[in-house]
Amino acid sequence: MKLNRVMKHSVRLISIGLLTLFFFGCNGGAQEKPVVIDYAAQPEEFVVKLEPNKRYTIVRGQEQFPFSLTLKKGLAGDYGKSRLIWNKIDREADMLRAQYRVPYLIRANGKDYLYIYGDQYGDLNFLELGEKYVAASDNTMLHFYEEPKDPKQLPVRIGIHVLGPAAAELRYHVGKRGAPAPNDPEGYRYCTAADAKQKFVTTKASTVLMFASRDAGEEEGKKVILPAGSMFTRLRCSGRENTDLLLEDGRVFRVKERYLFGEPKAIMDVRDFTDNKFEYKKVEG
């Protein structure tokens, strides 16, 4: 009799243990509650930085639904897997460098978007989230130079050419189908402060287009001969070929910068306004 009681007790403990394992296994192990994102507590348009592999509950007026983005490293190479759960969507996809990404939920233009961003590599996938569909998915190479907080003022760093590769910091907005678009699609692209530090000097006299200052209008440019030995720094670019450089006295001069086909990379060709090669060198130290 005593042995039967012991056996029954052991079976009961094992059953409780199995039920506990089943319960925790079906509910995410530690039973961490989903984080609630309540649209009523947000501005009309907002950016919320998310954590991958975390469960959320979206509360939008009278409706609420689950939301999560799982990002996993692949078995080999740079590709990994993403799984998006949003309302009635359950979507899996291959994604380049998935494990390095940071997701942002964005509300703009009366719609919901998901930016999946890789700061280390400049990879950005953007998705428009409908009730039952993902309307768009694309990839673009850009960087956020600080945390995005406003869908109309996304802080974007892009690559430009001003005597070679440089960077410009611009403000973008969430555009059509979620694609980031520049607030000022035309106009100047200024070098970052880091790119503008390097000093250069002309090694040959050149005919350039000269402006009295960086604020001068396009119609104010005049062709002048810039003598050899003129010290300058990089400033900005505009259009397809215009490169503007800043003299020490505050004047700005323009040359033409083009890139010719070459292997393994394009060949930089900088010309003055007589189509002669613009010659210069770096100032060391």
Side-chain angles (χ1 to χ4, degrees):
M1 294 291 291
K2 184 175 182 182
L3 180 61
N4 287 338
R5 285 199 300 272
V6 171
M7 289 180 67
K8 287 180 180 180
H9 183 67
S10 299
V11 169
R12 185 167 176 267
L13 289 176
I14 291 171
S15 299
I16 292 171
L18 289 173
L19 285 171
T20 303
L21 287 172
F22 178 79
F23 177 80
F24 276 90
C26 291
N27 292 276
Q31 278 296 291
E32 183 179 350
K33 290 185 179 179
V35 175
V36 175
I37 300 178
D38 188 349
Y39 281 39
Q42 300 288 343
E44 184 177 351
E45 298 195 336
F46 61 81
V47 178
V48 174
K49 186 177 182 179
L50 307 169
E51 290 185 41
N53 313 321
K54 193 178 188 75
R55 295 187 303 148
Y56 294 87
T57 296
I58 299 297
V59 177
R60 201 171 53 184
Q62 297 299 312
E63 65 175 343
Q64 65 179 43
F65 53 84
F67 169 43
S68 65
L69 179 68
T70 303
L71 299 173
K72 291 184 177 180
K73 184 177 181 179
L75 297 177
D78 280 345
Y79 274 92
K81 293 282 186 181
S82 71
R83 182 185 179 191
L84 169 66
I85 294 175
W86 169 272
N87 205 347
K88 299 176 183 178
I89 299 168
D90 190 340
R91 176 182 181 271
E92 291 186 337
D94 292 328
M95 179 172 289
L96 192 65
R97 294 180 280 271
Q99 70 271 26
Y100 299 112
R101 305 299 189 97
V102 176
Y104 294 89
L105 175 64
I106 299 178
R107 180 74 175 176
N109 312 315
K111 296 181 179 181
D112 296 300
Y113 302 95
L114 182 64
Y115 276 23
I116 310 173
Y117 174 64
D119 177 65
Q120 185 176 355
Y121 298 95
D123 293 335
L124 174 65
N125 290 74
F126 48 90
L127 310 173
E128 180 184 325
L129 303 173
E131 182 182 352
K132 301 179 181 179
Y133 64 88
V134 175
S137 174
D138 210 337
N139 181 72
T140 184
M141 297 294 290
L142 54 77
H143 288 266
F144 291 137
Y145 61 86
E146 58 187 32
E147 284 291 345
K149 296 179 180 178
D150 183 346
K152 288 187 170 63
Q153 297 290 331
L154 300 174
V156 171
R157 181 181 291 121
I158 63 170
I160 59 173
H161 286 99
V162 180
L163 298 189
E169 293 178 348
L170 308 173
R171 291 291 174 171
Y172 275 49
H173 62 274
V174 177
K176 187 177 180 181
R177 307 189 87 180
N183 290 356
D184 179 14
E186 305 294 336
Y188 295 122
R189 302 292 186 249
Y190 282 85
C191 292
T192 61
D195 290 326
K197 285 181 179 180
Q198 175 65 53
K199 292 186 177 182
F200 301 86
V201 62
T202 57
T203 56
K204 181 182 177 181
S206 300
T207 301
V208 301
L209 193 64
M210 186 70 71
F211 299 87
S213 71
R214 67 172 67 199
D215 298 321
E218 289 287 319
E219 71 283 355
E220 298 178 50
K222 297 179 180 179
K223 288 184 181 179
V224 302
I225 296 176
L226 183 68
S230 299
M231 198 86 70
F232 66 91
T233 53
R234 298 194 284 182
L235 180 62
R236 65 194 181 194
C237 63
S238 64
R240 297 188 64 182
E241 298 181 349
N242 293 338
T243 289
D244 290 351
L245 305 164
L246 180 64
L247 292 166
E248 291 186 307
D249 62 8
R251 291 180 298 159
V252 172
F253 70 94
R254 178 171 295 170
V255 294
K256 299 292 184 181
E257 184 171 345
R258 292 164 264 189
Y259 286 81
L260 310 176
F261 177 78
E263 291 292 352
K265 61 181 180 179
I267 301 168
M268 183 174 68
D269 182 43
V270 185
R271 300 276 169 169
D272 70 3
F273 276 73
T274 57
D275 205 34
N276 289 317
K277 186 176 180 180
F278 177 65
E279 298 186 19
Y280 64 96
K281 66 179 182 180
K282 286 183 179 181
V283 176
E284 301 300 333

